[in-house]
Amino acid sequence: MKNIVTITKKINNFNKKIKVSSDKSLSIRCVLLSSIAIGTSRLSNLLESEDVLNALKAIKKLGINYKKKKNFFEIEGFGLNGYNTKKKLTINAGNSATLARLLCGLLVKAENKIRLIGDKSLFKRDFSRLEFLKLFGVNIKNKNGLLPVEIQGSRFLRPAKIIEKLGSAQVKSCAIFCGLNTPGITFIKAKKSRNHTESLLRYLKYPIKVKSKGAYDYIKLKGLNQFKAFNYKVPGDISSAAFFIVLTLLSKNSKILIKKVNINKSRIGIIKILNKMNAKIKLKNKRLYKGEETADILVKSRNNLKSIYCPEKLNSSAIDEFLVIFLVASKARGISSFRNLEELNKKESPRLDRAVKFLKMIGIKVIRKKNNIQIYGNPDLDLKGKFHIKNYLKDHRIFMMSCIAALSFGGLWHINDKDSINTSFPSFLKIIKFLGGKYEIK
Ligand code: S3P
């Protein structure tokens, strides 16, 4: 099977408008929320990647029908806890921790025991972080903190007060979803993280209140309220746009306009970080859409990028983008510093470990102390060597980051596991081609 991408040349200058894949976090949340709404929801521009298709398969197994129409998906929900769970049900979440963790929050009342599994990468992810569900009276088990997870719902759920200290939107959303099914008021004190679940529920007029104080959000929601089906058009994903923002910044005399991307404040850490590094990225045409905000992102090449002492409070809003942010730090003048990135090692692969290895491989000096790293930028970075990227648990973002490094820094690259892009950004290589980037698939 042809699954290795070879890149032998930097990309030539380009000046283009593009659209990136739809937002993955919003797509998964829309599928799950439609599955517990009353009536038929219509989702257009849904990301058709493996993670989202696994979400659709999961709700189907729970007795929820969906249909793909011309340019939208129809999902027929029966309200809260409207799932019809068969005995001995196993749900495979594939590569998606978001799906697995959020789904657990929706299964807290399921009558039969449900087993959750996933791919090789998901089997290495931490599921002990869902233990808090026990406080609601849910019977949940994992295998030494890992998959398979077994969840047995309860008819006697009780509200709980949860403190989420990791800054994980998946854990927070799981708690919120559990709160939907629980009588009374659920309180969640959560270290700030992406807030799409809260904003969608607010748009659906669900009784949920959020107060923001310092590094934390204080969430209060009233359980057992039904909400109606909805229509939603999913905007572009800033985590996918990130690859092209960085490619443009690092290439010569290039310009890109990335159309209609979600710019929710809890997601734009990459723009804030890169602008502190002198990137001058602009957000044009800002619009509000059903509790979220979208914009076109305008980026031009920059040859005077500077290092950053990255404020820790931006970590969560850039968590999926650090791999490409590190590429910018590699080319910036000065020593960049990033701190307390332990959550990066909890992703589809241990990304902090992999990133340090990667940067050293391309000749960048990196000093790591625990979960803090310093990257010694080299504005003259110009690679000549041979590089082979393999054994990274098919992490889609490592694959795409490696392609961006190859097209920006030069050298001869073989990058394994092209198919990993199907989890989040199936059109990634087509866009590279559209911009004039050359690659071969072997
Ligand atoms: C996501 C939350 C983040 C992020 C992931 C998507 C979400 O994970 O890395 O890609 O949609 O809630 P954590 O919640 O584990 O930080």
Side-chain angles (χ1 to χ4, degrees):
M1 253 207 341
K2 291 183 166 187
N3 206 15
I4 302 179
V5 164
T6 298
I7 298 177
T8 56
K9 259 198 213 123
K10 287 188 199 172
I11 194 164
N12 287 332
N13 56 326
F14 53 86
N15 180 352
K16 294 272 197 285
K17 278 185 197 164
I18 61 164
K19 256 186 144 180
V20 292
S21 286
S22 302
D23 192 274
K24 181 151 74 83
S25 292
L26 277 169
S27 293
I28 293 175
R29 284 162 174 76
C30 281
V31 168
L32 295 180
L33 284 169
S34 305
S35 77
I36 55 164
I38 295 181
T40 306
S41 296
R42 284 182 166 194
L43 308 177
S44 56
N45 229 19
L46 193 71
L47 172 65
E48 290 184 52
S49 76
E50 280 167 5
D51 283 7
V52 183
L53 297 177
N54 281 327
L56 287 164
K57 280 187 203 157
I59 60 165
K60 182 125 201 175
K61 279 205 163 179
L62 295 164
I64 302 298
N65 280 325
Y66 70 89
K67 269 191 222 130
K68 188 179 175 188
K69 299 273 170 119
K70 224 176 169 186
N71 46 12
F72 56 87
F73 281 82
E74 264 185 8
I75 298 178
E76 223 179 299
F78 301 112
L80 277 181
N81 197 35
Y83 294 153
N84 179 7
T85 53
K86 298 206 176 78
K87 280 192 180 151
K88 293 198 175 162
L89 190 63
T90 295
I91 292 180
N92 188 338
N95 189 247
S96 180
T98 306
L99 170 60
R101 292 181 178 141
L102 269 61
L103 198 57
C104 283
L106 294 181
L107 296 177
V108 293
K109 253 187 172 172
E111 270 181 36
N112 297 308
K113 195 189 277 173
I114 294 171
R115 209 167 143 257
L116 265 165
I117 56 166
D119 71 3
K120 212 171 157 187
S121 150
L122 200 63
F123 261 90
K124 293 191 190 287
R125 308 288 293 273
D126 173 20
F127 278 83
S128 67
R129 49 183 67 188
L130 301 189
E131 291 277 295
F132 72 85
L133 285 174
K134 289 182 177 160
L135 297 173
F136 289 86
V138 182
N139 183 357
I140 183 164
K141 281 190 197 132
N142 55 50
K143 200 175 168 198
N144 302 323
L146 306 175
L147 288 180
V149 160
E150 279 185 353
I151 183 161
Q152 166 89 61
S154 162
R155 276 190 291 154
F156 307 104
L157 294 172
R158 50 184 182 263
K161 285 188 181 169
I162 305 298
I163 301 179
E164 195 292 305
K165 291 182 183 163
L166 300 167
S168 163
Q170 294 173 0
V171 174
K172 172 179 70 178
S173 301
C174 174
I176 294 175
F177 280 178
C178 179
L180 299 180
N181 278 303
T182 305
I185 308 276
T186 293
F187 289 97
I188 305 158
K189 175 183 172 187
K191 189 163 171 198
K192 281 199 166 88
S193 61
R194 67 188 68 191
N195 62 3
H196 304 301
T197 306
E198 299 91 301
S199 65
L200 281 169
L201 283 169
R202 251 197 320 260
Y203 157 68
L204 294 169
K205 302 207 165 55
Y206 196 88
I208 178 166
K209 281 195 183 136
V210 184
K211 276 193 187 143
S212 168
K213 214 168 147 197
Y216 282 84
D217 281 332
Y218 295 78
I219 303 164
K220 213 167 148 184
L221 72 143
K222 202 167 160 210
L224 304 187
N225 283 276
Q226 298 285 356
F227 54 90
K228 284 197 205 128
F230 57 99
N231 297 340
Y232 201 88
K233 188 171 179 188
V234 185
D237 196 329
I238 192 153
S239 299
S240 295
F243 297 101
F244 294 102
I245 294 174
V246 167
L247 179 65
T248 310
L249 275 181
L250 296 179
S251 300
K252 282 198 180 122
N253 305 321
S254 297
K255 185 173 160 186
I256 205 162
L257 186 71
I258 311 173
K259 301 283 285 176
K260 221 170 178 188
V261 179
N262 179 282
I263 53 149
N264 180 317
K265 288 204 172 47
S266 61
R267 296 288 299 279
I268 53 169
I270 179 166
I271 311 252
K272 291 186 184 156
I273 291 171
L274 295 181
N275 278 347
K276 280 178 192 286
M277 300 176 83
N278 206 21
K280 301 205 168 148
I281 300 162
K282 293 200 174 77
L283 298 176
K284 304 258 186 196
N285 214 358
K286 285 191 189 174
R287 277 189 218 149
L288 292 175
Y289 180 72
K290 302 194 175 179
E292 295 278 339
E293 201 177 359
T294 64
D296 301 337
I297 303 179
L298 179 68
V299 193
K300 292 182 189 165
S301 306
R302 301 285 294 163
N303 49 19
N304 47 355
L305 294 159
K306 59 176 196 200
S307 58
I308 185 174
Y309 186 77
C310 186
E312 207 187 309
K313 65 170 195 248
L314 294 179
N315 284 0
S316 153
S317 61
I319 194 69
D320 292 340
E321 290 70 65
F322 275 108
L323 292 174
V324 281
I325 291 171
F326 295 160
L327 295 184
V328 179
S330 302
K331 190 92 202 240
R333 189 169 305 281
I335 305 166
S336 292
S337 193
F338 302 91
R339 288 162 306 141
N340 291 326
L341 287 172
E342 54 273 22
E343 278 297 297
L344 255 195
N345 263 346
K346 302 276 166 71
K347 299 294 170 193
E348 286 86 327
S349 72
R351 286 185 183 154
L352 185 59
D353 300 350
R354 292 294 312 189
V356 171
K357 238 182 166 172
F358 182 97
L359 297 175
K360 288 185 174 166
M361 178 191 79
I362 61 168
I364 296 294
K365 180 173 169 188
V366 185
I367 295 182
R368 175 172 179 184
K369 284 196 187 121
K370 288 188 180 152
N371 297 310
N372 308 329
I373 62 169
Q374 284 186 319
I375 299 174
Y376 288 64
N378 172 8
D380 301 320
L381 186 62
D382 185 25
L383 300 178
K384 297 273 187 284
K386 259 191 180 178
F387 306 96
H388 192 175
I389 307 299
K390 53 185 175 186
N391 304 329
Y392 53 89
L393 280 169
K394 301 184 181 172
D395 182 336
H396 52 136
R397 297 198 202 282
I398 293 209
F399 173 86
M400 293 187 277
M401 176 274 283
S402 306
C403 291
I404 299 302
L407 292 163
S408 313
F409 300 147
L412 166 57
W413 293 71
H414 297 297
I415 308 165
N416 285 23
D417 299 321
K418 165 189 82 74
D419 290 348
S420 63
I421 59 176
N422 294 332
T423 62
S424 66
F425 194 179
S427 59
F428 173 75
L429 285 170
K430 280 189 200 121
I431 298 178
I432 299 266
K433 200 174 204 172
F434 173 72
L435 298 180
K438 302 267 187 298
Y439 57 84
E440 259 184 67
I441 300 174
K442 283 185 192 149

